[in-house]
């Protein structure tokens, strides 16, 4: 009995303390930042610079040295290229030192999240465009200075999809490269099924028919999927931007406030087609291969929808003849999904004029035509400037051309919470495929889930 | 003060020194356990978006949202399933193997080490090996089923089977720990009891039911409490065995801790995630109190 009363006492004190704490917490948190940040930086910057700069540049007037930090997620070829680019940039700007830090993709948001309360973090940051609304809304990113990055110029020089980074009339980020999707296909399996690999499908109907011919079933078990559908990879994008638009609809209202998947014309038809690939045409099974790309590489899938960013992996890992063909046309229109990783300047950097100036310079450098010309061959992503896109070395490349072809009709989806949006569609798909749920009802539920996220987001603006 | 302290008895002075020495670990404990717990509790009362400099006060709104969130309830039900399935299984299998091992006279150490190895192996590695064994197209389990002319299963890809599949992997790994603790418990039972009972004509099941089991009671209580707390916090296995660490298919394997992790570190809703941890804290506290009361009856002979 005594133990119990002691424990209740303990719990009671915990609760009392918990209720008392809130008054203390908010006053503490903001206080921690301003004191920490300046303390951390001055000690770092001089330590790194004096040894490097004077040696490299004895003749130039000793201007103030600035060190800025650049963060991106770890992708080997990107990291190496940016290291090279930084060396080049530092040669052009001897007073600026750029420190690159990378984190594994899975931990990227966690690391950013952990750096904020500590008052640390990058000055220039590479973010997935779909995360922008959340980062902008929380005040993490500063708008790009209009004088250095005039909106009119951006809209003239860059591909249209970058306009998704414009919030309340201001640009918050600019990319070096953009990506869109196409169909990766195994030419050997095409030939084996009696199809002509030089003449790939042009519509989704033809694509489904070709997939049927290549699907192999042994003892009632699928061993090769003609077209592996994997919503956790690219096929949620296939539904939202490619199929819905292909069937004559639009996935979101113009102001990005309403999800229209189930109300737009052709919305249900697009969804039914996606579901039918597994239930009616039987060209895919959710269990084949670990996931879409793995199945395709293991020749357990003849086709998959993936992005230009996958070209590098395909080149190094595919042990068969493969090719890429442009996104086929829907019954009403041809559309594609576009996306990009984009560079923004943090609010932290914007508070220090020297760092802001250095960050702007670095950002201008990263989004210049010269950098793009190096980026595309090294990474496989497409240049974000229209002028570079028309470079004949890219337009004549058999693997890049299929992507470039649909770039003008590539749409970037406005995401409030990309992971939650994708999960909602994955769950809707799984409940139809694995549980036999009614497709329309499953889609309605997904729309309700995502609409709720959107309502919360817009209410918090 | 100095004058008065000289007036203390030896016993009093010893007590004071005991508390002085206790103070160091106490401060440490308060610093890394109690204070963060209280901080997490306070976070749960705010709209604590980790990227945002403003953290508006919400009161109990996070809890309200939490109790209206179907995914939270699904995660809670799953977590309870993990406990209800894994703890008894671990106890029964652990005790069974411990009894067998106790009888093994040859290669005793070898067998004990063998069964203990999974427990000291990385959980992430174990989870992935099990994931590959469950793989539906070329995984060895389905190949075995095909060999035996039994219907092949989807295992982790089937929302009705996935949780059970993960439980099996959890039990397989944890059972080594149960065996070692049970063996220690079994060896502490004096053999006189068995000899006396045998003279009275008891054997087999009777010996087990009336001597072994009651005298193992403290061991069973300990293992049940530890096992329950571990199972409530299940995370690593779900993260690594469900596709892309989502707790799917259809949230069928999502545990409470994974739910909290996703809210906090993927959606950045720290306040909401903290509300989840407070609920988890209360549940663990309640279960521990109940278990201690119900199962701590001492059996003495």
């Amino acid at each position: 009995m005594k133990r119990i009363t002691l424990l209740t006492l303990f719990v009671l004190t915990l609760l009392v303390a918990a209720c008392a704490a809130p008054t203390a917490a908010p006053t503490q948190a903001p206080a921690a930042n301003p004191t920490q940040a300046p303390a951390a930086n001055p000690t770092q910057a001089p330590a790194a610079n004096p040894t490097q700069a004077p040696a490299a540049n004895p003749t130039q007037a000793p201007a103030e040295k600035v060190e800025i930090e650049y963060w991106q997620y770890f992708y080997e070829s990107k990291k190496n290229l940016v290291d090279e680019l930084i060396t080049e940039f530092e040669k052009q700007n001897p007073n600026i030192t750029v420190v690159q830090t990378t984190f594994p993709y899975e931990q990227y948001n966690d690391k950013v999240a952990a750096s904020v309360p500590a008052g640390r973090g990058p000055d220039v940051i590479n973010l997935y465009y779909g995360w922008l609304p959340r980062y902008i809304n929380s005040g993490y990113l500063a708008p790009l200075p209009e004088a250095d990055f005039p909106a009119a110029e951006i809209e003239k020089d860059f591909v249209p999809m970058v306009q998704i980074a414009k919030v309340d009339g201001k640009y918050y980020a600019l990319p070096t490269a953009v990506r869109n999707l196409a169909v990766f296909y195994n030419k050997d399996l095409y030939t084996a099924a009696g199809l002509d690999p030089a003449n790939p499908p042009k519509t989704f109907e033809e694509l489904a028919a070709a997939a049927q011919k290549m699907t192999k079933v042994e003892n009632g078990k699928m061993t090769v999927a003609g077209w592996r559908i994997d919503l956790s990879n690219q096929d949620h994008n296939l539904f939202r931007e490619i199929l819905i638009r292909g069937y004559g609809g639009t996935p979101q209202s113009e102001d990005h406030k309403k999800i229209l998947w189930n109300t737009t014309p052709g919305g249900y038809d697009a969804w039914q087609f996606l579901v039918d690939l597994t239930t009616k045409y039987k060209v895919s099974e959710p269990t084949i291969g670990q996931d879409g790309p793995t199945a395709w590489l293991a020749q357990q899938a003849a086709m998959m929808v993936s992005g230009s960013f996958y070209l590098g992996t395909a080149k190094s890992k595919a042990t068969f003849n493969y090719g890429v063909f442009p996104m086929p046309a829907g019954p009403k229109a041809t559309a594609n999904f576009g996306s990009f990783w984009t560079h923004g300047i943090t609010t932290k950097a914007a508070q220090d004029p020297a760092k802001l100036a250095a960050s702007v310079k670095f950002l201008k450098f990263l989004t210049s035509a010269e950098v793009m010309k190096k980026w595309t061959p090294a990474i496989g992503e497409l240049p974000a400037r229209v002028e570079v896109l028309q470079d004949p070395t890219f337009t004549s490349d058999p693997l890049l051309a299929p992507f470039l072809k649909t770039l003008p009709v590539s749409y970037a989806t406005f995401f409030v919470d990309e992971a939650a949006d994708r999960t909602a569609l994955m769950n809707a798909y799984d409940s139809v495929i694995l549980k036999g749920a009614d497709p329309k009802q499953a889609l309605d539920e997904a729309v309700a889930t995502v609409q709720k996220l959107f309502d919360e987001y817009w209410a918090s603006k | 003060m100095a004058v008065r302290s000289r007036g203390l008895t030896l016993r009093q002075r010893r007590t004071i020194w005991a508390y002085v020495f206790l103070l160091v670990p106490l401060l440490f404990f308060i610093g890394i356990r109690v204070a963060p717990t209280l901080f997490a509790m306070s976070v749960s009362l705010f709209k604590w978006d980790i990227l945002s400099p403003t953290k508006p006060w919400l009161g109990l709104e996070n809890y309200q949202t939490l109790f209206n969130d179907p995914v939270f309830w699904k995660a809670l039900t799953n977590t309870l399933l993990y406990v209800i399935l894994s703890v008894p299984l671990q106890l029964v299998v652990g005790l069974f193997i411990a009894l067998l091992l106790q009888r093994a006279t040859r290669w005793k150490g070898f067998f004990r080490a063998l069964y203990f190895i999974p427990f000291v192996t990385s959980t992430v590695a174990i989870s992935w090996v099990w994931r590959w064994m469950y793989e539906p197209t070329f995984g060895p389990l389905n190949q075995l089923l095909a060999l035996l002319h039994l219907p092949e299963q989807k295992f982790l890809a089937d929302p009705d089977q996935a949780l059970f599949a993960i439980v099996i992997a959890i039990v397989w790994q944890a059972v080594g720990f149960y065996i070692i603790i049970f063996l220690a418990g079994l060896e502490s039972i004096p053999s006189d009891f068995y000899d006396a009972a045998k003279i009275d004509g008891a054997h087999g099941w009777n010996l087990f039911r009336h001597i072994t089991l009651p005298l193992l009671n403290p061991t069973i209580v300990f293992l049940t409490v530890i096992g329950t707390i571990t199972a409530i916090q299940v995370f690593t296995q779900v993260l690594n065995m469900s596709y892309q660490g989502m707790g799917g298919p259809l949230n069928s394997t999502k545990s409470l801790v994974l739910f909290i992790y996703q809210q906090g570190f993927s959606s950045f809703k720290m306040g909401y995630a903290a509300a989840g941890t407070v609920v988890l804290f209360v549940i663990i506290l309640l279960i521990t109190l109940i278990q201690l009361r119900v199962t701590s009856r001492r059996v003495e002979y």
Side-chain angles (χ1 to χ4, degrees):
Chain A
M1 229 18 237
K2 208 172 176 188
R3 211 189 305 151
I4 296 297
T5 41
L6 266 176
L7 267 166
T8 12
L9 255 178
F10 173 67
V11 173
L12 270 177
T13 40
L14 273 186
L15 284 176
V16 170
C19 297
T23 47
T27 51
Q28 261 184 330
N33 289 334
T35 52
Q36 261 186 325
N41 291 328
T43 51
Q44 268 186 323
N49 287 327
T51 51
Q52 275 185 315
N57 228 44
T59 49
Q60 218 168 33
E64 213 183 323
K65 308 279 180 231
V66 194
E67 181 182 281
I68 55 169
E69 210 171 312
Y70 174 73
W71 280 19
Q72 66 170 342
Y73 75 101
F74 180 80
Y75 192 83
E76 198 176 5
S77 50
K78 282 193 184 181
K79 185 196 171 280
N80 294 343
L81 180 63
V82 170
D83 275 338
E84 270 172 46
L85 292 173
I86 287 175
T87 318
E88 197 186 317
F89 176 75
E90 285 173 346
K91 233 176 252 165
Q92 295 170 11
N93 301 275
N95 297 326
I96 305 174
T97 313
V98 184
V99 178
Q100 177 179 214
T101 313
T102 59
F103 300 104
Y105 172 74
E106 300 78 32
Q107 295 170 17
Y108 195 61
N109 275 319
D110 304 9
K111 293 288 177 191
V112 175
S115 75
V116 174
R120 302 275 180 93
D123 301 294
V124 179
I125 186 168
N126 189 239
L127 293 169
Y128 185 62
Y129 88 92
W131 301 339
L132 285 176
R134 198 166 60 188
Y135 275 81
I136 296 169
N137 207 22
S138 61
Y140 187 81
L141 288 182
L144 303 180
E146 172 74 22
D148 299 296
F149 301 96
E153 213 165 281
I154 292 176
E155 276 150 41
K156 181 167 69 69
D157 294 342
F158 283 74
V159 290
M161 71 167 97
V162 308
Q163 290 168 24
I164 199 103
K166 187 182 187 181
V167 174
D168 302 329
K170 288 181 201 137
Y171 276 92
Y172 280 81
L174 263 188
T176 305
V178 296
R179 309 96 58 87
N180 63 1
L181 306 178
V183 185
F184 283 69
Y185 69 118
N186 183 322
K187 288 186 175 173
D188 296 344
L189 291 175
Y190 252 72
T191 320
L195 294 162
D196 177 14
N199 195 8
K202 295 205 169 51
T203 66
F204 277 105
E205 285 296 306
E206 289 173 29
L207 186 61
Q212 267 181 321
K213 283 191 185 145
M214 288 184 287
T215 304
K216 272 189 211 136
V217 178
E218 284 169 27
N219 305 326
K221 192 163 108 180
M222 190 180 286
T223 51
V224 176
W227 177 11
R228 175 69 156 86
I229 302 300
D230 180 357
L231 263 74
S232 66
N233 271 286
Q234 292 303 324
D235 292 337
H236 62 105
N237 295 319
L238 171 72
F239 170 66
R240 277 194 221 91
E241 299 295 345
I242 302 170
L243 288 176
I244 288 186
R245 288 181 194 273
Y247 276 79
T250 40
Q252 288 178 7
S253 63
E254 203 134 304
D255 55 5
H256 305 305
K257 286 188 177 163
K258 287 270 169 256
I259 301 296
L260 306 176
W261 305 339
N262 59 348
T263 45
T264 192
Y268 279 130
D269 299 336
W271 180 247
Q272 189 64 49
F273 175 75
L274 187 69
V275 170
D276 277 349
L277 288 166
T278 304
T279 57
K280 191 173 139 200
Y281 301 109
K282 299 193 194 302
V283 299
S284 178
E285 283 243 340
T287 53
I288 202 153
Q290 289 273 347
D291 52 57
T294 316
W296 185 77
L297 277 182
Q299 307 210 52
Q300 290 178 320
M303 298 188 284
M304 66 158 178
V305 168
S306 194
S308 37
F309 47 82
Y310 195 75
L311 286 171
T313 316
K315 196 196 254 174
S316 65
K317 298 233 172 96
T319 53
F320 47 87
N321 290 314
Y322 68 92
V324 179
F325 59 83
M327 194 52 72
K332 298 264 167 67
T334 307
N336 203 340
F337 167 73
S339 66
F340 51 94
W341 284 79
T342 181
H343 323 281
I345 297 174
T346 61
T347 323
K348 187 194 134 224
Q351 283 160 357
D352 178 342
K355 280 188 185 256
L356 179 63
S359 301
V360 165
K361 268 191 180 166
F362 187 54
L363 192 55
K364 279 197 160 181
F365 171 75
L366 281 179
T367 54
S368 64
E370 296 76 61
V371 167
M372 287 177 193
K373 280 177 190 158
K374 288 182 189 158
W375 191 277
T376 300
I379 316 292
E381 292 180 326
L382 313 172
R385 280 181 186 269
V386 178
E387 141 208 14
V388 189
L389 270 175
Q390 288 152 355
D391 193 312
T393 50
F394 301 141
T395 48
S396 61
D397 184 313
L399 290 175
L400 283 178
F403 292 98
L404 294 172
K405 197 180 163 215
T406 54
L407 205 53
V409 285
S410 294
Y411 300 88
T413 311
F414 178 87
F415 287 116
V416 164
D417 183 339
E418 196 259 345
D421 205 307
R422 170 165 38 111
T423 310
L425 274 175
M426 271 169 65
N427 285 346
Y429 182 77
D430 282 350
S431 65
V432 176
I433 303 300
L434 303 173
K435 290 267 187 180
D438 175 50
K440 284 188 178 178
Q441 212 180 324
L443 185 64
D444 292 347
E445 274 167 31
V447 170
T449 310
V450 178
Q451 186 62 55
K452 205 172 143 230
L453 291 171
F454 272 64
D455 290 345
E456 275 167 27
Y457 170 79
W458 287 109
S460 73
K461 284 283 284 181
Chain B
M1 279 302 279
V3 182
R4 276 182 71 191
S5 73
R6 226 179 290 146
L8 292 172
T9 64
L10 181 66
R11 194 194 172 86
Q12 279 171 322
R13 259 181 286 162
R14 272 192 185 165
T15 320
I16 286 171
W17 274 110
Y19 280 115
V20 168
F21 282 119
L22 275 177
L23 199 64
V24 179
L26 186 70
L27 284 176
F28 182 71
F29 185 75
I30 289 175
I32 68 155
R33 288 273 175 184
V34 181
T37 310
L38 296 179
F39 183 67
M41 285 177 173
S42 75
V43 167
S44 76
L45 303 172
F46 293 87
K47 182 180 162 62
W48 197 286
D49 178 340
I50 201 148
L51 292 175
S52 170
T54 56
K55 327 259 189 219
W57 165 262
L58 280 186
L60 294 176
E61 206 181 301
N62 277 330
Y63 293 91
Q64 230 169 11
T65 324
L66 195 66
F67 293 132
N68 288 321
D69 186 342
V71 184
F72 165 74
W73 289 108
K74 179 77 188 159
L76 189 63
T77 328
N78 289 341
T79 307
L80 294 180
L81 273 174
Y82 280 118
V83 175
I84 293 168
L85 292 170
S86 71
V87 177
L89 256 176
Q90 281 160 352
L91 284 173
V92 172
V93 178
L95 182 55
F96 181 73
I97 299 176
L99 285 169
L100 292 180
L101 279 182
Q102 200 197 12
R103 295 187 175 207
T105 44
R106 281 176 151 224
W107 296 11
K108 214 170 167 180
F110 170 74
F111 278 117
R112 286 179 188 197
L114 195 69
Y115 280 96
F116 198 64
I117 285 173
F119 186 70
V120 291
T121 309
S122 150
T123 309
V124 175
I126 288 180
S127 303
W128 277 89
V129 172
W130 275 95
R131 185 172 169 169
W132 285 323
M133 295 209 294
Y134 283 133
E135 214 286 323
T137 3
F138 52 83
L141 282 174
N142 258 350
Q143 286 179 356
L144 185 72
L145 288 177
L147 256 170
L148 300 170
H149 299 288
L150 290 168
E152 295 183 20
Q153 301 299 322
K154 287 181 179 166
F155 301 115
L156 293 168
D158 183 336
D160 297 326
Q161 293 177 8
L163 189 132
F164 299 94
I166 293 181
V167 165
I168 289 172
I170 293 174
V171 171
W172 180 83
Q173 186 188 11
V175 93
F177 175 72
Y178 282 68
I179 292 171
I180 295 297
I181 303 293
F182 269 129
L183 276 173
L186 286 171
E187 257 147 49
S188 70
I189 302 175
S191 54
D192 312 9
F193 291 157
Y194 292 106
D195 297 340
K198 276 178 196 161
I199 290 168
D200 290 344
H203 55 268
W205 172 251
N206 277 333
L207 288 178
F208 177 74
R209 168 74 186 78
H210 294 290
I211 298 178
T212 314
L213 214 50
L215 285 171
L216 274 182
N217 195 44
T219 315
I220 296 174
V221 172
F222 169 75
L223 286 175
T224 313
V225 173
I226 293 286
T228 308
I229 292 174
T230 322
I232 287 179
Q233 298 173 344
V234 61
F235 173 72
T236 317
Q237 290 91 344
V238 187
L239 186 76
N240 288 289
M241 288 177 74
S242 65
Y243 188 44
Q244 288 198 345
M246 303 284 289
L250 290 172
N251 294 325
S252 64
T253 59
K254 188 175 281 176
S255 69
L256 204 47
V257 180
L258 183 60
F259 171 80
I260 291 167
Y261 172 76
Q262 287 174 338
Q263 292 300 331
F265 291 99
S266 158
S267 297
F268 290 177
K269 295 176 182 164
M270 247 343 137
Y272 191 53
T277 54
V278 172
V279 173
L280 185 67
F281 172 78
V282 172
I283 293 173
I284 295 180
L285 189 70
L286 285 178
I287 291 184
T288 315
L289 287 180
I290 293 168
Q291 277 184 338
L292 281 173
R293 269 190 80 77
V294 172
T295 44
S296 66
R297 284 168 292 141
R298 284 200 148 265
V299 180
E300 295 286 353
Y301 283 87

